[in-house]
Amino acid sequence: MNPHPFVSFLQEFEPKLEKKTNQLNKALWILETTGSSDAAELKAELDVEWRLLHNDAETYRRLLEWDKDPSLKDPLLKRQLDVLIRAFKENQIPKELVEAMAEKEAALAETYANFRPQLRGKDLSENELRELLKNEEDPAVRKEAWEASKEIGTILAPQILALVELRNQGARHLGYLDYFEMQLELQEVDRETLLALLDDLGKRSNEAYRKTLDKVIEKLCDRFHVEKSDFGPWAWSDPFAQEDPLDTHLLDQLVEDVDIVGTCKKYYQNMGFDVGSILEKSDLYERPGKNQHAFCMHLDRRGDIRTLNNISPSIKWLETVLHELGHAVYETGFDKELPWLLCEPPHMIPTEAMALIAGRQAYRKEALPDLVGEGKEKLIALADESLKRRQLIFSRWVLTMTKFESELYRDPTQDLNALWWKLVEEHQMVPAPANREGKADWAAKYHISLAPVYYFSYLLGELFASSIQESVEKETKSKNLNSKAAGRLLQERLFAPGNRWSWSELIRFTSGAELTPDAWLREFA
Ligand SMILES: [Zn+2]
């Protein structure tokens, strides 16, 4: 019997895709570690070539035909077909539209990269602004800095709205209501289900958040010597009230004498994961020209896994190194018999869940003595309290972001700044300051324009992380992750399936139930 035509197609197509993907990843790694303009150019070219591999209309038509063919039964083949159909579908948007979007995105990226808020005649870098919001005690200076950080919103809003319009045109061309719905469906997420889940989470954590917020307001009003009625977004330690603003500097004392890389390596070793070769290939410390943030990359889906960090002696970097290595060990764990195309997580949600649950250990009272040494009980208790606040505060921020994006794409002509502050007040309970009419504070958030429809994955990852935490506790009878038994459980029930199933099927396999906020609420609210 002849093989199914889809099998023949895969035999020819997959090596081409693998080669192009590897080239693209390599260029991206060089770009992120050096900031080289040659690498940027090469990466942009390879991006186009990667897209072109997925835009042939005739191939797309054949893929859709095979999808209806009842003789194609093998589940791994069907899953590969499904992955390819979604990749091709996204690239069936007319070429002119794709080019126009890419041009707008590049221009926006450049403006964001070069924008420096001005404070009293001085340019502030992003790090300087963050340091100021952490350390400055004078509310007047803080207010000015906060307002300066929003200026870019007013400058960029018209360009972002033009991009939103193009994205919606592309989505409608493919038969979607709008871009938000398209992005979700291509990621196997249903809009109504997602929004209902977030509503449920919001309602059931409302009381806990309000209590946490009361404490935050009380402490910050004390610190800045202002009345509660004068409390505003300028009092937080970041421009969007998305992070826990209390005790941040105190907690850095936890890692003062700690070798962050060494302690993380040992932590994973205790779980049965050797991350030595990953760390050797990783780019760990600050350098000019290098990306300021952190990420993990699997360059070839055949074991070349690296992380990028900018480690400094702070609790944030202990958390981040644990987090990125969480992504890394996930990538080492796919079933050996999976085809190349399925050697990846089915979505950001499960790999974020692994990274987040690892990062949380930097704040958990059960895990910290192993990570930072004994005799720091007071600080460890503060860190454990901070973890709860961080979870509650971040969850409200994701509600604001996700609901705003859903509305932005549904009707971009509405008064978006009024909508933004209505959502901030409703979910984060941070009152809008006076004089924000006519501004575009929503447009100051980078992710709105350049990492759209993305934030929800972090929150769903947090929910899943809590349900994994419960599974680990149940099976290992310990709250700690750093045991061989916990490592085995993660390996077998989370990493091994790769992209064999959709993310929601994987979650059922890992935790035995649908994703709900229940475990997260039990842990933090
Ligand atoms: Zn991550």
Side-chain angles (χ1 to χ4, degrees):
M1 207 176 87
N2 284 334
H4 193 278
F6 176 57
V7 175
S8 321
F9 167 80
L10 267 182
Q11 275 164 1
E12 198 207 312
F13 182 78
E14 206 189 57
K16 279 196 249 171
L17 180 60
E18 179 177 354
K19 193 171 167 198
K20 197 53 67 194
T21 307
N22 292 352
Q23 289 173 334
L24 181 58
N25 286 342
K26 217 172 257 177
L28 183 60
W29 178 259
I30 297 171
L31 171 62
E32 299 292 8
T33 50
T34 65
S36 135
S37 55
D38 281 351
E41 217 170 281
L42 182 61
K43 194 238 155 204
E45 279 169 28
L46 290 166
D47 247 338
V48 174
E49 287 173 25
W50 194 94
R51 278 171 183 273
L52 288 178
L53 266 180
H54 293 91
N55 91 331
D56 181 50
E58 174 53 22
T59 308
Y60 180 54
R61 194 192 59 73
R62 281 163 68 209
L63 293 173
L64 290 177
E65 218 163 71
W66 292 328
D67 196 35
K68 286 187 227 128
D69 180 353
S71 76
L72 191 69
K73 288 197 185 73
D74 176 73
L76 284 185
L77 283 174
K78 285 194 76 84
R79 182 65 184 165
Q80 290 179 85
L81 181 57
D82 181 61
V83 168
L84 286 175
I85 285 175
R86 280 180 286 125
F88 269 78
K89 184 163 190 181
E90 201 173 3
N91 285 289
Q92 300 307 302
I93 295 170
K95 207 171 149 232
E96 313 77 65
L97 210 50
V98 172
E99 282 167 357
M101 282 192 275
E103 215 170 276
K104 285 241 155 25
E105 283 172 2
L108 282 167
E110 211 181 322
T111 316
Y112 275 110
N114 294 311
F115 175 75
R116 298 283 178 274
Q118 277 233 330
L119 182 69
R120 303 189 171 178
K122 188 181 171 276
D123 284 352
L124 290 182
S125 73
E126 183 161 340
N127 278 338
E128 287 168 328
L129 176 74
R130 290 182 149 271
E131 280 303 303
L132 188 149
L133 289 177
K134 282 208 173 95
N135 300 318
E136 177 61 51
E137 300 296 332
D138 180 352
V141 179
R142 298 183 67 91
K143 271 181 210 168
E144 279 178 48
W146 183 87
E147 278 173 12
S149 78
K150 302 294 168 195
E151 278 307 309
I152 190 167
T154 317
I155 298 169
L156 288 187
Q159 292 178 57
I160 297 173
L161 285 173
L163 179 60
V164 164
E165 181 52 38
L166 292 173
R167 285 176 176 161
N168 270 346
Q169 273 178 34
R172 285 188 203 114
H173 180 86
L174 298 181
Y176 294 105
L177 229 53
D178 58 37
Y179 180 80
F180 185 79
E181 184 194 67
M182 176 184 95
Q183 278 298 312
L184 289 180
E185 283 204 7
L186 291 172
Q187 302 174 45
E188 304 180 286
V189 179
D190 175 64
R191 178 186 201 143
E192 297 316 315
T193 313
L194 172 67
L195 294 176
L197 177 75
L198 296 184
D199 270 341
D200 182 37
L201 169 79
K203 277 198 199 97
R204 291 164 68 194
S205 58
N206 216 40
E207 215 23 60
Y209 178 67
R210 193 184 294 275
K211 275 191 195 143
T212 296
L213 183 64
D214 283 347
K215 196 172 169 199
V216 166
I217 294 176
E218 192 191 304
K219 287 211 161 183
L220 293 180
C221 284
D222 249 18
R223 177 178 163 195
F224 300 123
H225 311 291
V226 294
E227 294 300 318
K228 209 178 150 190
S229 54
D230 288 329
F231 181 83
W234 53 266
W236 294 72
S237 58
D238 72 275
F240 295 96
Q242 66 180 91
E243 292 168 12
D244 175 23
L246 303 183
D247 300 337
T248 37
H249 276 285
L250 269 178
L251 294 181
D252 285 346
Q253 292 171 13
L254 273 171
V255 298
E256 252 167 17
D257 49 355
V258 172
D259 163 17
I260 289 184
V261 174
T263 199
C264 292
K265 188 175 166 183
K266 206 176 107 214
Y267 192 84
Y268 278 97
Q269 215 149 32
N270 291 337
M271 291 166 83
F273 300 119
D274 178 9
V275 295
S277 62
I278 294 166
L279 286 167
E280 264 163 42
K281 287 195 157 221
S282 291
D283 194 319
L284 298 175
Y285 300 99
E286 269 187 295
R287 209 177 42 247
K290 182 180 155 181
N291 179 320
Q292 299 285 292
H293 303 104
F295 62 81
C296 170
M297 246 181 112
H298 196 168
L299 269 78
D300 59 358
R301 298 196 194 176
R302 303 205 186 264
D304 184 352
I305 303 165
R306 310 172 186 190
T307 68
L308 180 142
N309 291 285
N310 288 277
I311 302 171
S312 65
S314 63
I315 192 162
K316 175 194 166 216
W317 281 105
L318 174 62
E319 175 192 9
T320 306
V321 174
L322 287 167
H323 178 109
E324 300 310 334
L325 287 173
H327 286 304
V329 294
Y330 193 127
E331 294 286 329
T332 64
F334 304 128
D335 264 345
K336 293 295 167 259
E337 75 269 20
L338 281 176
W340 178 87
L341 199 56
L342 302 182
C343 284
E344 59 174 358
H347 192 278
M348 287 267 300
I349 298 165
T351 179
E352 278 308 331
M354 177 59 216
L356 291 165
I357 199 174
R360 284 179 189 178
Q361 309 308 313
Y363 296 86
R364 298 195 52 164
K365 61 175 185 284
E366 295 87 0
L368 272 167
D370 274 348
L371 285 163
V372 302
E374 306 286 337
K376 299 177 177 173
E377 288 74 18
K378 266 197 183 141
L379 287 171
I380 288 178
L382 286 180
D384 205 65
E385 271 175 45
S386 169
L387 178 61
K388 284 206 176 66
R389 282 196 303 270
R390 290 160 54 85
Q391 291 286 329
L392 288 165
I393 290 168
F394 183 71
S395 72
R396 308 309 281 201
W397 161 246
V398 178
L399 297 186
T400 298
M401 274 294 277
T402 310
K403 300 221 166 171
F404 180 80
E405 284 190 296
S406 161
E407 273 296 302
L408 167 69
Y409 289 100
R410 191 187 62 79
D411 177 13
T413 65
Q414 59 187 311
D415 181 346
L416 292 167
N417 209 48
L419 170 69
W420 176 257
W421 283 108
K422 180 179 147 280
L423 292 170
V424 171
E425 288 185 341
E426 182 182 334
H427 300 295
Q428 296 174 268
M429 304 178 199
V430 175
N435 309 325
R436 299 317 288 169
E437 294 84 18
K439 307 277 184 195
D441 294 333
W442 58 275
K445 185 69 190 171
Y446 174 90
H447 294 70
I448 298 270
S449 54
L450 292 174
V453 199
Y454 190 84
Y455 249 97
F456 76 94
S457 307
Y458 288 122
L459 185 52
L460 267 46
E462 294 283 13
L463 302 187
F464 187 26
S466 287
S467 86
I468 295 172
Q469 177 72 38
E470 287 192 348
S471 302
V472 169
E473 278 181 43
K474 213 164 116 193
E475 275 188 41
T476 66
K477 310 277 181 281
S478 158
K479 282 183 179 297
N480 272 328
L481 270 193
N482 58 344
S483 66
K484 297 272 186 312
R488 226 175 6 250
L489 186 147
L490 292 166
Q491 159 64 36
E492 285 165 11
R493 298 244 294 269
L494 184 60
F495 313 160
N499 195 4
R500 186 187 285 270
W501 311 303
S502 74
W503 64 269
S504 50
E505 288 166 305
L506 175 67
I507 287 178
R508 275 200 296 275
F509 175 76
T510 310
S511 63
E514 302 283 335
L515 186 64
T516 70
D518 297 354
W520 184 87
L521 290 165
R522 279 192 288 273
E523 194 172 2
F524 299 115

Short mmCIF file of all heavy atoms in Angstrom, two decimals, residues 294-296 320 323-324 327 348 351-356 454 458, ligand 1:
data_model
loop_
_atom_site.label_atom_id
_atom_site.label_comp_id
_atom_site.label_asym_id
_atom_site.label_seq_id
_atom_site.Cartn_x
_atom_site.Cartn_y
_atom_site.Cartn_z
N ALA A 294 15.21 38.25 29.96
CA ALA A 294 15.63 36.86 30.10
C ALA A 294 14.71 35.97 29.26
O ALA A 294 13.54 36.27 29.08
CB ALA A 294 15.56 36.43 31.56
N PHE A 295 15.28 34.89 28.73
CA PHE A 295 14.44 33.90 28.03
C PHE A 295 15.20 32.59 27.90
O PHE A 295 16.39 32.52 28.21
CB PHE A 295 13.99 34.41 26.64
CG PHE A 295 15.12 34.70 25.69
CD1 PHE A 295 15.73 33.68 24.97
CD2 PHE A 295 15.56 36.00 25.49
CE1 PHE A 295 16.77 33.94 24.09
CE2 PHE A 295 16.60 36.27 24.61
CZ PHE A 295 17.20 35.24 23.91
N CYS A 296 14.50 31.56 27.45
CA CYS A 296 15.12 30.26 27.19
C CYS A 296 14.84 29.92 25.74
O CYS A 296 13.75 30.19 25.23
CB CYS A 296 14.51 29.21 28.11
SG CYS A 296 15.00 27.52 27.69
N THR A 320 14.39 34.44 38.41
CA THR A 320 14.45 34.35 36.96
C THR A 320 15.30 33.18 36.48
O THR A 320 14.93 32.49 35.52
CB THR A 320 14.98 35.68 36.37
OG1 THR A 320 14.17 36.74 36.88
CG2 THR A 320 14.91 35.69 34.87
N HIS A 323 13.31 30.20 36.88
CA HIS A 323 12.24 30.24 35.88
C HIS A 323 12.75 29.76 34.51
O HIS A 323 12.18 28.83 33.92
CB HIS A 323 11.72 31.68 35.80
CG HIS A 323 10.63 31.90 34.78
ND1 HIS A 323 9.33 32.14 35.14
CD2 HIS A 323 10.65 31.93 33.43
CE1 HIS A 323 8.59 32.30 34.05
NE2 HIS A 323 9.37 32.18 32.99
N GLU A 324 13.82 30.36 34.03
CA GLU A 324 14.32 30.01 32.69
C GLU A 324 14.80 28.55 32.64
O GLU A 324 14.61 27.87 31.63
CB GLU A 324 15.42 30.97 32.23
CG GLU A 324 15.01 32.44 32.15
CD GLU A 324 13.73 32.70 31.37
OE1 GLU A 324 13.37 31.89 30.49
OE2 GLU A 324 13.06 33.72 31.65
N HIS A 327 11.85 26.32 31.99
CA HIS A 327 11.58 26.15 30.55
C HIS A 327 12.58 25.16 29.95
O HIS A 327 12.22 24.32 29.12
CB HIS A 327 11.75 27.48 29.81
CG HIS A 327 10.65 28.47 30.03
ND1 HIS A 327 9.33 28.19 29.78
CD2 HIS A 327 10.67 29.76 30.46
CE1 HIS A 327 8.59 29.27 30.04
NE2 HIS A 327 9.37 30.22 30.46
N MET A 348 2.19 28.16 25.25
CA MET A 348 2.96 28.80 26.31
C MET A 348 2.52 28.36 27.71
O MET A 348 3.31 28.36 28.65
CB MET A 348 2.70 30.30 26.23
CG MET A 348 3.36 31.01 25.10
SD MET A 348 4.90 31.62 25.69
CE MET A 348 4.32 32.70 27.03
N THR A 351 4.45 25.33 29.55
CA THR A 351 5.86 25.59 29.81
C THR A 351 6.01 26.76 30.78
O THR A 351 6.89 26.78 31.64
CB THR A 351 6.69 25.77 28.52
OG1 THR A 351 8.04 26.05 28.87
CG2 THR A 351 6.18 26.89 27.65
N GLU A 352 5.09 27.75 30.69
CA GLU A 352 5.11 28.81 31.68
C GLU A 352 4.78 28.25 33.06
O GLU A 352 5.36 28.66 34.07
CB GLU A 352 4.12 29.94 31.34
CG GLU A 352 4.63 30.96 30.35
CD GLU A 352 5.99 31.55 30.70
OE1 GLU A 352 6.35 31.64 31.89
OE2 GLU A 352 6.72 31.90 29.76
N ALA A 353 3.84 27.32 33.12
CA ALA A 353 3.49 26.73 34.42
C ALA A 353 4.72 26.13 35.07
O ALA A 353 4.98 26.34 36.26
CB ALA A 353 2.40 25.68 34.25
N MET A 354 5.53 25.39 34.30
CA MET A 354 6.75 24.80 34.85
C MET A 354 7.72 25.88 35.29
O MET A 354 8.30 25.83 36.38
CB MET A 354 7.40 23.89 33.78
CG MET A 354 8.72 23.29 34.21
SD MET A 354 8.57 22.28 35.71
CE MET A 354 10.12 22.63 36.53
N ALA A 355 7.91 26.90 34.44
CA ALA A 355 8.85 27.97 34.76
C ALA A 355 8.37 28.76 35.99
O ALA A 355 9.16 29.11 36.87
CB ALA A 355 9.02 28.89 33.56
N LEU A 356 7.08 29.00 36.05
CA LEU A 356 6.53 29.80 37.16
C LEU A 356 6.61 29.05 38.47
O LEU A 356 6.96 29.62 39.51
CB LEU A 356 5.07 30.19 36.85
CG LEU A 356 4.89 31.20 35.71
CD1 LEU A 356 3.45 31.24 35.24
CD2 LEU A 356 5.34 32.60 36.12
N TYR A 454 -1.28 37.88 24.74
CA TYR A 454 -0.16 37.08 25.22
C TYR A 454 -0.20 36.94 26.74
O TYR A 454 0.07 35.88 27.28
CB TYR A 454 1.09 37.82 24.80
CG TYR A 454 2.39 37.11 24.97
CD1 TYR A 454 2.85 36.22 24.01
CD2 TYR A 454 3.18 37.35 26.10
CE1 TYR A 454 4.05 35.58 24.17
CE2 TYR A 454 4.39 36.70 26.25
CZ TYR A 454 4.83 35.83 25.29
OH TYR A 454 6.03 35.20 25.43
N TYR A 458 0.33 33.84 30.94
CA TYR A 458 1.03 33.84 32.23
C TYR A 458 0.07 33.50 33.36
O TYR A 458 0.40 32.71 34.25
CB TYR A 458 1.65 35.20 32.51
CG TYR A 458 2.83 35.53 31.66
CD1 TYR A 458 2.84 36.66 30.85
CD2 TYR A 458 3.95 34.72 31.65
CE1 TYR A 458 3.93 36.98 30.07
CE2 TYR A 458 5.05 35.03 30.88
CZ TYR A 458 5.03 36.16 30.09
OH TYR A 458 6.12 36.48 29.31
ZN ZN B 1 8.71 32.19 30.96
#
